[in-house]
């Protein structure tokens, strides 16, 4: 489990929404080597904001591999150059999920050079240039889904699970003791168009509760195009310790998921005296979307 800061909303169709500023193109020599723990503790936010992973680009990466030869293909260049800022941001998180810490992936076009650092190393074969296996496709898709945040604000989460070859994501006692609130299971496959799915790992939030991490705990239609599938426990199997889910089945397809946890302070309650916008709003009631005690009356 590694702590990740997440912000941004993931969309699978091009919409031109707002998100974090893209990384400035840089020189590869300026990139320092990071450990896996450092990589996961940095401010990581996935703001797809309109990045469409169209078939040409995704299939090219899937079969050419996420190595330098794959990034030098004409299909990748064509896709990247359609929307360089959004593509750059997407690649930051794709590489972070897929490639081991301490490695980078680089793409150059004209005078611009983009460098993306590895982090979790969930897809070791794909990262080395091999075609993406089904397990790699699934766990990378799950990682990208886990980085979705409805409100575009930074939230720390922890991610549990295993990479595509069954190696467990490392845990530490500090992380386990800090992120104690079970949140969600994320799974799916973006590579073949099966989509992305999320389930809640605890009960849904009550009407007075809210969170910047609304995609799993707020129920259906909270974060389209993520499809909410209900309780993780109805569709997924645990590992031997009960800490995380190892497989989830939906519509007859079995996926390798990732499991997320939160800190208790990342759940807000109307009446706690703090107006936690944007997930709490003004009004005359005691619901999160009409919280007079915390946010006052509107107007």
């Amino acid at each position: 489990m590694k702590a990740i800061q997440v912000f941004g909303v993931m969309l699978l169709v091009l919409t031109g929404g707002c998100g974090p500023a893209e990384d400035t193109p840089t020189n590869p020599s300026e990139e320092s080597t990071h450990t896996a723990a450092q990589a996961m503790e940095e401010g990581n936010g996935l703001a797809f904001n309109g990045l469409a992973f169209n078939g040409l680009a995704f299939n090219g990466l899937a079969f050419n591999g996420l190595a330098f030869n794959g990034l030098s293909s004409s299909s990748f260049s064509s896709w990247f150059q359609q929307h360089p800022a959004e593509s750059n941001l997407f690649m930051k998180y794709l590489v972070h999920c897929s490639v081991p810490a301490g490695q980078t992936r680089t793409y150059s076009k004209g005078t611009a050079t983009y460098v993306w650092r590895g982090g979790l190393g969930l897809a070791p074969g794909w990262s080395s240039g091999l075609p993406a296996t089904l397990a790699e496709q699934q766990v990378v898709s799950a990682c990208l889904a886990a980085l979705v945040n409805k409100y575009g604000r930074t939230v720390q989460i922890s991610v549990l699970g295993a990479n595509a070859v069954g190696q467990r994501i490392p845990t530490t006692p500090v992380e386990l003791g800090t992120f104690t609130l079970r949140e969600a299971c994320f799974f799916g496959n973006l590579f073949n168009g099966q989509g992305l799915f999320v389930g809640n790992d605890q009960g849904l939030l009550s009407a007075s509760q809210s969170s910047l991490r609304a995609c799993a705990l707020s129920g259906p239609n909270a974060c389209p195009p993520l499809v909410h599938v209900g309780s993780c426990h109805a569709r997924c199997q645990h590992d031997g310790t009960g800490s995380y889910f190892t497989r989830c089945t939906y519509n007859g397809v079995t996926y390798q998921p990732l499991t997320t946890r939160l800190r208790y302070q990342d759940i807000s309650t109307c009446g706690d005296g703090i107006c936690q916008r944007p997930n709490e709003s003004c009004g005359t009631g005691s619901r999160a979307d009409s919280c007079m005690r915390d946010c006052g009356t509107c107007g």
Side-chain angles (χ1 to χ4, degrees), residues 122 172 217 287:
L122 296 175
T172 69
L217 302 182
R287 299 170 52 96

Side-chain angles (χ1 to χ4, degrees), residues 11 37 69 104 145 204 225 239 258 278:
L11 304 177
N69 60 328
T104 61
L204 298 176
D239 75 312
L258 291 177

Side-chain angles (χ1 to χ4, degrees), residues 192-214:
N192 63 10
Q194 288 177 334
L196 295 175
F197 310 99
V198 58
N200 52 291
D201 193 9
Q202 57 164 307
L204 298 176
L205 299 178
S206 68
S208 64
Q209 294 177 309
S210 61
S211 175
L212 293 173
R213 290 279 299 178

Side-chain angles (χ1 to χ4, degrees), residues 146-163:
L147 297 180
V148 174
N149 183 315
K150 180 176 182 178
Y151 294 103
R153 301 283 288 276
T154 299
V155 184
Q156 287 189 339
I157 65 171
S158 287
V159 176
L160 297 87
N163 69 10

Side-chain angles (χ1 to χ4, degrees), residues 60-84:
L61 281 177
F63 291 104
N64 293 329
L66 197 62
F68 296 103
N69 60 328
L71 300 183
S72 64
S73 68
S74 59
S75 60
F76 178 83
S77 180
S78 175
W79 166 78
F80 191 95
Q81 292 302 318
Q82 291 179 41
H83 305 281

Side-chain angles (χ1 to χ4, degrees), residues 1-3 158-161 168-182 241 243-244 261-264:
M1 174 173 61
K2 295 298 180 183
S158 287
V159 176
L160 297 87
R168 184 170 177 171
I169 298 172
T171 62
T172 69
V174 172
E175 291 166 345
L176 291 171
T178 300
F179 297 87
T180 55
L181 188 64
R182 302 179 74 106
T241 68
S243 301
Y244 62 90
R261 292 191 179 192
L262 301 175
R263 303 171 300 175
Y264 272 98

Side-chain angles (χ1 to χ4, degrees), residues 1-281:
M1 174 173 61
K2 295 298 180 183
I4 313 176
Q5 292 186 355
V6 184
F7 55 92
V9 179
M10 184 169 72
L11 304 177
L12 300 184
V13 292
L14 191 62
T15 63
C18 298
E22 71 272 13
D23 288 354
T24 303
T26 185
N27 189 308
S29 64
E30 297 174 356
E31 294 292 318
S32 60
T33 299
H34 285 42
T35 66
Q38 287 173 322
M40 297 306 291
E41 290 168 0
E42 293 174 349
N44 294 306
L46 183 58
F48 278 12
N49 283 340
L51 184 60
F53 223 172
N54 61 50
L56 177 64
F58 218 135
N59 289 336
L61 281 177
F63 291 104
N64 293 329
L66 197 62
F68 296 103
N69 60 328
L71 300 183
S72 64
S73 68
S74 59
S75 60
F76 178 83
S77 180
S78 175
W79 166 78
F80 191 95
Q81 292 302 318
Q82 291 179 41
H83 305 281
E86 293 87 349
S87 300
N88 175 38
L89 190 59
F90 172 78
M91 289 301 299
K92 173 181 178 179
Y93 299 108
L94 181 68
V95 172
H96 178 78
C97 288
S98 307
V99 176
Q103 297 185 21
T104 61
R105 294 295 181 268
T106 303
Y107 168 72
S108 296
K109 182 69 173 180
T111 60
T113 296
Y114 302 86
V115 180
W116 307 297
R117 290 195 294 264
L120 279 177
L122 296 175
W126 191 41
S127 298
S128 69
L130 298 174
T133 65
L134 180 61
E136 288 179 322
Q137 293 175 23
Q138 291 181 353
V139 74
V140 169
S141 298
C143 180
L144 295 175
L147 297 180
V148 174
N149 183 315
K150 180 176 182 178
Y151 294 103
R153 301 283 288 276
T154 299
V155 184
Q156 287 189 339
I157 65 171
S158 287
V159 176
L160 297 87
N163 69 10
V165 294
Q167 297 170 329
R168 184 170 177 171
I169 298 172
T171 62
T172 69
V174 172
E175 291 166 345
L176 291 171
T178 300
F179 297 87
T180 55
L181 188 64
R182 302 179 74 106
E183 185 201 24
C185 52
F186 292 92
F187 57 95
N189 194 331
L190 285 171
F191 290 72
N192 63 10
Q194 288 177 334
L196 295 175
F197 310 99
V198 58
N200 52 291
D201 193 9
Q202 57 164 307
L204 298 176
L205 299 178
S206 68
S208 64
Q209 294 177 309
S210 61
S211 175
L212 293 173
R213 290 279 299 178
C215 296
L217 302 182
S218 295
N221 303 319
C223 295
L226 280 179
V227 176
H228 199 288
V229 298
S231 171
C232 300
H233 302 275
R235 300 188 179 276
C236 306
Q237 296 181 4
H238 279 108
D239 75 312
T241 68
S243 301
Y244 62 90
F245 299 101
T246 58
R247 64 183 63 184
C248 297
T249 302
Y250 183 68
N251 285 340
V253 180
T254 298
Y255 300 90
Q256 180 175 335
L258 291 177
T259 306
T260 54
R261 292 191 179 192
L262 301 175
R263 303 171 300 175
Y264 272 98
Q265 59 263 40
D266 291 317
I267 301 293
S268 307
T269 302
C270 179
D272 61 14
I274 305 171
C275 185
Q276 286 135 325
R277 297 182 185 274
N279 50 304
E280 283 189 334
S281 305

